[in-house]
Amino acid sequence: MKVLLYPDKKQLLEKLARPYSGNKEVTEQVNRIRVSVSERGDDAVREFSLRFDGASFPDMEVTPMAFQEAEDIIPGELKMAIRRAANNIEKFHETQLQSGSRTIVEEGVTCWQRTVPVESVGLYVPGGSAPLISTVLMLAIPARIAGCPKRIMCTPPDKNGNIDPAILYAAQISGVTQVFKVGGAQAIAAMTYGTAIIPKVDKLFGPGNQYVTEAKQQALSQGVAIDMPAGPSEVLMIADKTANPAFVAADLLAQAEHGTDSQSILLTDDQTLLDSVQEELKQQLQDLPRKEVAGLALRNSVMVLVNDMQEAMSISNEYAPEHLILAVNNPEQMSLEVRQAGSVFLGNYTPESVGDYASGTNHTLPTNGFARNYSGLNMDAFVKKITFQQLTPSGIKSLGPTVETLAEAEQLQGHKNAVTLRLKALQKQIEEVQS
Amino acid sequence: MKVLLYPDKKQLLEKLARPYSGNKEVTEQVNRIRVSVSERGDDAVREFSLRFDGASFPDMEVTPMAFQEAEDIIPGELKMAIRRAANNIEKFHETQLQSGSRTIVEEGVTCWQRTVPVESVGLYVPGGSAPLISTVLMLAIPARIAGCPKRIMCTPPDKNGNIDPAILYAAQISGVTQVFKVGGAQAIAAMTYGTAIIPKVDKLFGPGNQYVTEAKQQALSQGVAIDMPAGPSEVLMIADKTANPAFVAADLLAQAEHGTDSQSILLTDDQTLLDSVQEELKQQLQDLPRKEVAGLALRNSVMVLVNDMQEAMSISNEYAPEHLILAVNNPEQMSLEVRQAGSVFLGNYTPESVGDYASGTNHTLPTNGFARNYSGLNMDAFVKKITFQQLTPSGIKSLGPTVETLAEAEQLQGHKNAVTLRLKALQKQIEEVQS
């Protein structure tokens, strides 16, 4: 890990700039896959699955029996952990539900907003050496709470066409309605257009490699919405002398083990802490199964000695980290200054891992500086907010002339006329009653 | 307007399908503009403004004096109308503000969400023959209420370098912080990258022609967020025998006058109404200044005789209209069935025009079927929702083992270790106290 002592803020931020990615070859390959799937449906999906995942299997959809077998097979302790995490995620996301109230904007003019679930959501869960159980929970539970009627999931199978039982168990208790054994850009393309087997969805969610990420971007141009743009994971820690060096090092390493492109940043005003963290990092890295990955990731990582905590927060707000850990004396106070971050962890006993799995917050967060303009996944992402309005006759009589004046100024006579006709009709009614 | 009697639903929806647009020439031209502006800043902006808008002017930014002059020049009646609309928009949007509450997810595990404004928003207001006053209000007022510190606006000037005084007045009372006399793709590119004069923004808002729309799409790939994808405007009306044929025709025409690519759709179960609306359309069209545009738009438009109101609502939910007017006997009841729409207008005295200008709802709405997966502009679009969490020592003691189990299952030993270290430290503290 690079160490920078009292750097100039602007130069530091340039050093921390995320590399802008974009790979023409990936774009073109994903484009070919997308067009193939749109034209040839499941045949194309099967071909790409065989080619990229080595997976050949008769059934694309996971059967009810497979779910039952999964439940039987996984250890009780893991089951309990999944259920407890699921409960917490459910509890916190439920608090985000809103019921819009009616507003009488003026006498006779009532407006309201109603929250309606997205009809059909597609959840993507990447494969890999270990089952991403938490990804299933983080995507599927909010979709169920929101009431999205169709909640399908795609995830790549192993070479025998199987999906990890823990994934299936998590999908089942999170209320996923169908699971398909398909991964990669072909899974995203299938959910973009729909095939005979895999339904078309309105919105796509979930992480993935550069092919999946590119496929989601291309889906956007085909009228399917996506959760957020993706990039490598990152953590920024602000620590003062009250922080525990072993804890700080462990949190930096937890981030680093995600991938060689992960970024861990430490900002501190305490030279002693900085030195101790360096020492701890060396020791802890040795014991890590993924020490090669983490070691490489640490090369992208920086420890910075800053003048004071205010400077640290200012740098953090400019960097806009996905994860922000405040290992400081008064984290609550400091948290009020956070203006750009995905999710924030307060104090010495709140490692990022708790939010990754079980505290209840969502771990699908804006990376790559997108915390400037995107929120982490929350209930808003699974709903639409529709506005409604109703005017009474006296409402339009009162507000109508304002609309006429504005429509006239915008030279939209038809807009004006829609009001004028109604005002005239009401006037006529009054005259009829009076005569 | 085409008339369809009792069509098959699937065939009808195919007929109503919006043409998928995409123009390679536009993409390439916008790309050239974008790259030029990113490389040469304001010089490029000035060149394109001269070339496309014929606008040559020394100052790009509107001066305080110009705002004062605008206020002096515009008629009192228009000023009052603008202020009244602004008040209503403010009132309804304020009701959408949320204050996240704290949730004790488990004992010792507290999570909360805080809403933080997007730092810097760029509002685009198109030019044209008439000043789009309402667009200014609809974009700028929510940005001000959200507390976005930087709220800049770009809009093309006339050939003398002037902006319509009504636009400036609306910008001023809506709290726009800076107005720049720049339009088109060059305005969007300037706000995407920032120039010496025009600041870079985090998020772009507002309508525009195909060049502006394409420029916003390209901005997305440069890390700037946008409000929503755009397309031609549209209205779907559901009317029964209680509807007033003159009002229905006026509302269909108000939509049609927007542009030749606008779409007006009427669904009714009453043949008599349908016939009367046709008659009214002919008559009202004659008096419309934009009758040529509206006449062409009506060619994309359809009147459909359906079997019953349930079928009408089912078609509407599939079509996902930007504007939905319910000119029926019991609109309140029917409104509960709306699952996909931008904004909904209830009853005979709520023409779309009132929502376009002054009822308080936002008129920036998802077109092109995007009401399936996007909301109309609302307060959510101007903020980020950041999550926070804090565990006490007893909180991590209780939840820690769950996190350890899940991290182990995902083979992320570093994630597990961040918890294990803390649990061990706490155990040691207890032992020290006990001994």
Side-chain angles (χ1 to χ4, degrees), chain B residues 342-355:
Chain B
S343 194
V344 186
F345 303 80
L346 282 76
N348 288 328
Y349 294 99
T350 318
E352 188 201 309
S353 320
V354 301

Side-chain angles (χ1 to χ4, degrees), chain A residues 61-368:
Chain A
E61 187 175 347
V62 174
T63 61
M65 208 174 74
F67 282 109
Q68 187 55 55
E69 284 170 9
E71 192 177 341
D72 296 343
I73 219 172
I74 62 170
E77 191 193 0
L78 181 54
K79 250 191 248 184
M80 270 177 55
I82 294 174
R83 281 206 304 270
R84 182 148 170 196
N87 282 340
N88 287 357
I89 294 164
E90 183 172 338
K91 195 160 176 186
F92 182 56
H93 284 74
E94 269 175 349
T95 67
Q96 297 165 19
L97 286 170
Q98 288 174 270
S99 55
S101 58
R102 281 174 190 248
T103 307
I104 298 173
V105 176
E106 299 191 1
E107 205 218 304
V109 180
T110 308
C111 296
W112 64 101
Q113 198 185 40
R114 190 151 58 80
T115 297
V116 177
V118 174
E119 292 277 305
S120 159
V121 297
L123 316 176
Y124 186 78
V125 176
S129 51
L132 296 180
I133 304 163
S134 55
T135 306
V136 179
L137 305 179
M138 296 292 176
L139 303 178
I141 292 172
R144 186 192 65 207
I145 298 172
C148 306
K150 214 174 247 180
R151 307 180 293 272
I152 71 166
M153 186 177 119
C154 282
T155 191
D158 63 20
K159 292 196 198 314
N160 303 317
N162 293 322
I163 307 236
D164 191 288
I167 292 286
L168 293 184
Y169 181 71
Q172 192 169 36
I173 67 157
S174 308
V176 173
T177 54
Q178 286 179 294
V179 177
F180 299 96
K181 299 187 266 185
V182 181
Q186 62 272 25
I188 303 298
M191 294 190 279
T192 300
Y193 297 105
T195 68
I197 297 174
I198 302 174
K200 171 177 168 43
V201 302
D202 295 319
K203 193 165 181 177
L204 287 162
F205 295 83
N209 61 20
Q210 54 182 341
Y211 295 93
V212 168
T213 301
E214 173 62 27
K216 281 173 66 188
Q217 289 296 328
Q218 293 189 15
L220 253 187
S221 71
Q222 305 299 305
V224 178
I226 67 170
D227 49 357
M228 69 187 81
S233 192
E234 62 204 20
V235 69
L236 187 147
M237 290 194 77
I238 300 180
D240 63 17
K241 64 180 180 204
T242 67
N244 180 318
F247 298 175
V248 174
D251 292 349
L252 295 171
L253 283 171
Q255 186 57 51
E257 76 175 342
H258 269 300
T260 55
D261 52 4
S262 289
Q263 200 171 41
S264 298
I265 298 165
L266 170 64
L267 308 179
T268 181
D269 61 354
D270 189 62
Q271 172 93 53
T272 314
L273 179 82
L274 193 147
D275 295 339
S276 315
V277 170
Q278 274 191 298
E279 213 36 61
E280 279 286 342
L281 272 177
K282 270 184 219 151
Q283 287 175 26
Q284 292 185 28
L285 184 59
Q286 293 318 310
D287 299 333
L288 222 55
R290 294 194 187 218
K291 65 182 159 195
E292 310 237 320
V293 167
L296 286 169
L298 289 184
R299 292 196 195 162
N300 310 325
S301 300
V302 193
M303 286 189 191
V304 186
L305 195 61
V306 295
N307 292 296
D308 52 42
M309 289 291 101
Q310 213 175 345
E311 187 188 359
M313 184 48 77
S314 159
I315 291 167
S316 175
N317 278 327
E318 293 274 344
Y319 179 76
E322 180 191 12
H323 304 99
L324 171 61
I325 303 179
L326 304 177
V328 297
N329 187 37
N330 191 342
E332 179 90 31
Q333 181 65 31
M334 186 179 253
S335 76
L336 300 174
E337 306 297 320
V338 176
R339 287 184 292 108
Q340 329 253 30
S343 194
V344 186
F345 303 80
L346 282 76
N348 287 327
Y349 293 99
T350 317
E352 189 201 306
S353 321
V354 300
D356 289 339
Y357 291 109
S359 66
T361 60
N362 208 292
H363 80 192
T364 310
L365 299 167
T367 56
N368 216 17

Side-chain angles (χ1 to χ4, degrees), chain A residues 20 77-78 81-82 84-85 88 91-92 95-96 98 102-106 109 111-114 116 119 129-134 202 220-221 223 225 246-247 250-251 254 257-258 284 288-290 331-332 335-336 338-346 348-351 353-359 361 370-375 378 380 384-391 393 396 398-399 402-403 405-407 409-415 417-418 421-422 425-426 429, chain B residues 20 77-78 81-82 84-85 88 91-92 95-96 98 102-106 109 111-114 116 119 129-134 202 220-223 225 246-247 250-251 254 257-258 284 288-290 331-332 335-336 338-346 348-351 353-359 361 370-375 378 380 384-391 393 396 398-399 402-403 405-407 409-415 417-418 421-422 425-426 429:
Chain A
Y20 180 65
E77 191 193 0
L78 181 54
I82 294 174
R84 182 148 170 196
N88 287 357
K91 195 160 176 186
F92 182 56
T95 67
Q96 297 165 19
Q98 288 174 270
R102 281 174 190 248
T103 307
I104 298 173
V105 176
E106 299 191 1
V109 180
C111 296
W112 64 101
Q113 198 185 40
R114 190 151 58 80
V116 177
E119 292 277 305
S129 51
L132 296 180
I133 304 163
S134 55
D202 295 319
L220 253 187
S221 71
F247 298 175
D251 292 349
E257 76 175 342
H258 269 300
Q284 292 185 28
L288 222 55
R290 294 194 187 218
E332 179 90 31
S335 76
L336 300 174
V338 176
R339 287 184 292 108
Q340 329 253 30
S343 194
V344 186
F345 303 80
L346 282 76
N348 287 327
Y349 293 99
T350 317
S353 321
V354 300
D356 289 339
Y357 291 109
S359 66
T361 60
F370 284 117
R372 297 190 70 82
N373 33 28
Y374 291 87
S375 303
N378 63 67
D380 293 340
K384 294 107 52 179
K385 295 181 180 176
I386 304 178
T387 52
F388 295 82
Q389 54 239 288
Q390 183 162 25
L391 272 64
I396 188 122
S398 164
L399 189 58
T402 294
V403 176
T405 302
L406 289 166
E410 292 195 2
Q411 294 174 22
L412 291 171
Q413 201 64 38
H415 283 60
N417 204 38
L421 275 180
R422 285 164 167 96
L426 288 171
Q429 279 176 26
Chain B
Y20 181 66
E77 191 193 0
L78 181 54
I82 293 174
R84 183 150 168 195
N88 287 357
K91 194 161 175 185
F92 182 56
T95 66
Q96 298 166 18
Q98 289 174 268
R102 280 173 190 249
T103 307
I104 298 174
V105 176
E106 298 192 0
V109 180
C111 295
W112 64 101
Q113 198 186 40
R114 189 150 60 79
V116 176
E119 293 275 304
S129 51
L132 296 179
I133 304 163
S134 56
D202 296 319
L220 252 186
S221 71
Q222 304 299 305
F247 299 174
D251 291 350
E257 75 174 343
H258 270 300
Q284 292 185 26
L288 222 54
R290 295 194 186 218
E332 179 90 32
S335 77
L336 300 174
V338 176
R339 288 184 292 106
Q340 330 254 28
S343 194
V344 186
F345 303 80
L346 282 76
N348 288 328
Y349 294 99
T350 318
S353 320
V354 301
D356 289 340
Y357 291 110
S359 66
T361 60
F370 284 116
R372 296 190 72 81
N373 33 28
Y374 291 87
S375 303
N378 63 67
D380 293 340
K384 295 105 53 176
K385 296 182 179 177
I386 304 177
T387 52
F388 294 82
Q389 55 241 287
Q390 182 161 26
L391 272 64
I396 189 127
S398 164
L399 189 59
T402 293
V403 175
T405 302
L406 289 165
E410 292 195 5
Q411 293 173 23
L412 291 170
Q413 201 63 38
H415 283 60
N417 204 38
L421 275 181
R422 284 165 167 95
L426 288 170
Q429 278 176 26

Side-chain angles (χ1 to χ4, degrees), chain B residues 273-289:
Chain B
L273 179 83
L274 192 146
D275 295 339
S276 315
V277 170
Q278 274 192 299
E279 213 36 61
E280 279 286 340
L281 271 177
K282 271 184 219 152
Q283 287 175 26
Q284 292 185 26
L285 183 60
Q286 292 319 311
D287 299 333
L288 222 54

Side-chain angles (χ1 to χ4, degrees), chain B residues 153-213:
Chain B
M153 186 179 119
C154 283
T155 191
D158 63 19
K159 292 198 197 314
N160 303 317
N162 294 322
I163 305 227
D164 191 286
I167 291 287
L168 294 185
Y169 182 70
Q172 191 169 37
I173 68 157
S174 307
V176 172
T177 53
Q178 286 177 294
V179 177
F180 299 96
K181 300 187 266 184
V182 181
Q186 63 271 24
I188 303 298
M191 293 191 279
T192 300
Y193 297 106
T195 67
I197 297 173
I198 302 173
K200 171 179 168 43
V201 302
D202 296 319
K203 193 164 182 179
L204 286 163
F205 295 83
N209 61 20
Q210 54 181 342
Y211 294 93
V212 168
T213 301

